[in-house]
Amino acid sequence: MSDLFEHRRQAEIAAKAPLADRMRPRNLDQFVGQEHIVGPGRLLRRAIEADQISSLIFYGPPGTGKTTLARIIAGSTEAHFASLNAVLAGVKDIRAAVSEARERLGMHGRRTILFVDEVHRFNKAQQDALLPWVENGTVIFIGATTENPYFEVNRALVSRSRVFQLRPLASEDLRAVARMAVEDVERGYGRLDLRLEPDAVEHLVDVSGGDARAVLNALELAVETTPPDAEGRIVLDLAVAEESIQRRAVLYDKEGDAHYDTISAFIKSVRGSDPDAALYWLARMVYAGEDPRFIFRRLLILAGEDIGLADPAATGRVLDCARAYDYVGLPEGQFHLAEATLYLATAPKSNSTLAYFDALEAVQRERVDGVPSHLKDGNRDAEAFGHGAGYLYPHAYRDHWVAQQYLPRELQGRLFYQPSDQGFERALRATVLRRREAQLAAMVEGGPAGPGESLSFTGERAGQDRERWLARVLSGDGERLGRQRDRLLDAVDLARHDRVLDLRAGSGLLTWEAARRVPEGGVWGLARDAAEAAALDAKIAGLSPLEAPVILVGGLEELAELLALRGEAELRFDAIVGRNAGLGELPEAGLARLTGLLAPSGRLSLAEALPAAGSRPSDLLAPEAGEPRSEALAAWLERIRAAEAALMDERPLAERDAGWLAPRLTALGLRDVQVEAQAEETALLPTEPLIERWLGPEADYARGMADRLDPDDLRLLRERLTGLLGGPARPWRLVTAFVRAHAGDVGGSAGPGGGLDRAT
C-alpha cells in the first residue's frame, strides 16, 4: 500500500514539475546537443553503449545537460541513480548513500551511480568520506560543475575521473528544444492550440546564452501567463517573448571560470590587435562589475610582455590612464580604460622580452665557472689577480661600442634576445644584428680577451665537438618529420572530441599525436600490412580499448569496406590526415570514396614527398672548390645528370608535380583546396647503407640508370659515391607537397524564418 501512495505522490510531483524538468530527455536519442562528446563514434557514447562507464566529471555552463546526461547514463547502464548536492549534503548523507550502494551491490548485484551536483563545493571531509568507495568501485561517481574542475575540484577526485566539457547549446539545438516542448503531448504543450511566432523563437534563442533551461523556463512563463485569443489559440509573439526573458544575463563570476575566461579573451584580443573585440570584452567585464584596477594591472603586464620595445611608450601610457582613472573614478573613468585598451590594441607587437626567461633557464640549468676576468671589478683585485685586465671601455671607441665578449666562456655564442621587425624595435634590429656578427667574430678569433676566452678547440675537444655535430646531422631527419607532423595536425585544428583518420599509420607518427590531441574523440589508423599493424598493436597493448586508436589493415581503396566490417559504415571523420599515403595511385572513384568519409565540416591535411623535384645522387658529386677541372669528368657528370633527368621524367606525376591533386579534390566538391610545395635544405651524410639503397641489385635507381648508361659509367658512379664515405655531410634538398582542403558547405538548418506551430 505504501508503494502505491509513493507512486501516486511521485506522479503528482512529475505532473506539477516545471517544464524544464518535465522535458528532460530520457535517452541519448532524445538528448539535444553536445555531439562532440555523445555523437556517433565519440568516446563517451562508446563507453555508454559498451556499459563501461567509469567515474566522470561534467563541466559546463548551466542548462547544457550535465544532470540530464548523468540520468541518461544511469538508465542506459541499468544502474541505480542516487543524487546529492555538494552544498547541502554532509558527510552523513554521503555515508548513507554509500551504505545503500553497498547493500544494493551485495544483495542485488546492481551498481549505483552517485551523482554529485556542484561538486566543486566538496570539502575535504566530504571527499574523504567518498574517495575509498569510488576507488573500490562501490559507487560510480559522476560530478557536475560550472567551474573548471582542474582548478576548483579536489585533485584526488579529478585524478580518478574522466573530465568532459559541455558547451553552450547552439541555436539550432535550442530551436529543437523549443519545438519538442511545443509538440510533446505528454510532457509539453502539445495538447494546447499554441502558436509560437518565428521572431519569438529567435528572441528566446538569442538571449538564452546557450541555456536550454532558460528557453524552457521563459516558454513556460509565456504559455502560463498568456490568455487564449477569441478563437481559443494561445499566440506567443515577440512582445510576449521579450516580457518572458527580458534581459541577456552575462555569465560572470569574479572568482570562477567566467572571470578568467573573459579576461583571457580580452587580453588575447588586445594581443591580436583587434580593437573591436578588445572593446567588447572590456565592456563585458565592466558591465559585470569587474574591478577596473584589475583590468589596468593586466594591461600593464601585456604592455611589457606583448608590446615591449616595439613601442616603449606603451607602459607609460597605461600608467597615465590608470592614474587618470584613480583621479576621476567611474563612470567617467571608463574613457581612460577604453583609451588604454585601444592604445595597446593598435600598438605594434613584440614579445622579445621573453628572452629574459631563456636567460633565466640558462642560469638554472647550466654550470658556469664565473664572471670572465676582464669583466670583474678591477677596483679591488686588479693588482693581485688581474681582475678587469683586457676590458675595453666602449666610450673610448667610435659609436661608443667595441666588439668584446660579455658572456661567460661556456655561453659564448648563445643568443637570447631576438629583436622583432615591429615598430620602434625595427630600428634596433639592424644595429643589434650587425653588432652581434662582430661579437661572434670576436668569439671565434679569440678577440681582445685573449685565446683563453675563445671557442677555438683543438685536440680531443675538437674530436668531441665533431662527433656532436655529426650526431645533429644524423638526427635532422627526426626533427624534419616532427615539423611535418605538427604542420599536418595543426592544419586541421583538432578539437578534443574530433574523429581522425590517418591514411598511412606507418610507425604511428601522426596516429599517436592525434590520439593525444583528441582524448574525447577517436583515431583510426590505416596500416598497409599485417607486420605494420602488429608493430602498432604492440604499442597499443598498454591502453584501454576506449583510449586506443583503431588500427585497420589494408589499402586506401579498401577503407570503406574495412569500416563496414566494424559496423562503422556510416562513420564520418572530422579530420583526415596522411603522410605519403599514395593518393596519386587512386583512381577517381577511389578518391571520391575516400573524400566521402569526411564529415560535413571535415578537414583534409596531407603531405606527399616529391622526390623528382629534390636532390639526386649526382648532386653529391659536384666538384669541390679548388678541385682541378677535368673535361672527361665533366662530360661524365653531364651524362649522369641526363640519365637521372630521363629517369625522373618517367616517375608518376604525383612524385613530380606539387599541384597534381588540387583539381581532383576540387572536382569532388572539396573547397579551399590549397597546395604548397616546400623545399628544405638539409644535410646528408653518405653512408654504405645509403649507397647500397641507391645502387644495390634491387634498387629502382640502379636499374633505371643501367638502362641509360654504359657499365663503365655506372661503375664510376659507384666509385665516386663510395669515395665520399668518411667525409662531411653534403647539402641535400627535399621537396614536400602540403595539401589542405575542407569538405563542402554544411547543409542549412531551420533558420529565423521558420516558426513552430502545434494545434490539436
Side-chain angles (χ1 to χ4, degrees), residues 374-375 388-394 404 406:
H374 69 290
L375 297 181
Y391 170 66
L392 304 180
Y393 187 57
Q404 66 181 328
Y406 295 97

Side-chain angles (χ1 to χ4, degrees), residues 15 211 268 282 350 355 362 555 615 684:
D211 186 337
K268 288 173 180 174
L282 173 66
S350 170
S615 291
L684 186 71

Side-chain angles (χ1 to χ4, degrees), residues 202-220:
E202 293 311 308
H203 180 72
L204 294 178
V205 168
D206 183 50
V207 302
S208 66
D211 186 337
R213 187 183 293 109
V215 170
L216 292 173
N217 287 343
L219 182 61
E220 181 178 30

Side-chain angles (χ1 to χ4, degrees), residues 433-564:
L433 295 181
R434 188 165 55 248
R435 290 178 175 174
R436 183 172 283 163
E437 290 167 1
Q439 293 285 72
L440 292 175
M443 175 189 72
V444 172
E445 297 170 8
E453 298 291 332
S454 76
L455 283 181
S456 299
F457 301 127
T458 58
E460 182 181 355
R461 179 66 180 269
Q464 293 172 351
D465 283 1
R466 176 177 170 79
E467 289 302 317
R468 283 198 295 269
W469 175 76
L470 287 174
R472 286 199 298 272
V473 171
L474 292 173
S475 66
D477 197 48
E479 295 177 5
R480 180 178 61 84
L481 293 177
R483 291 194 299 270
Q484 280 194 8
R485 173 200 61 203
D486 294 341
R487 176 170 178 171
L488 286 170
L489 295 179
D490 290 346
V492 291
D493 191 22
L494 293 177
R496 292 172 60 85
H497 54 271
D498 277 346
R499 293 163 293 209
V500 183
L501 172 62
D502 180 2
L503 298 177
R504 188 66 185 268
S507 63
L509 179 73
L510 298 181
T511 301
W512 301 121
E513 177 63 18
R516 283 189 289 270
R517 297 191 185 195
V518 294
E520 296 162 18
V523 177
W524 285 253
L526 182 62
R528 288 297 187 266
D529 52 45
E532 191 174 290
L536 292 167
D537 287 337
K539 298 179 182 179
I540 290 173
L543 300 176
S544 76
L546 295 177
E547 297 174 324
V550 176
I551 303 302
L552 309 171
V553 185
L556 286 175
E557 288 193 292
E558 303 172 77
L559 254 174
E561 291 78 7
L562 294 172
L563 290 170

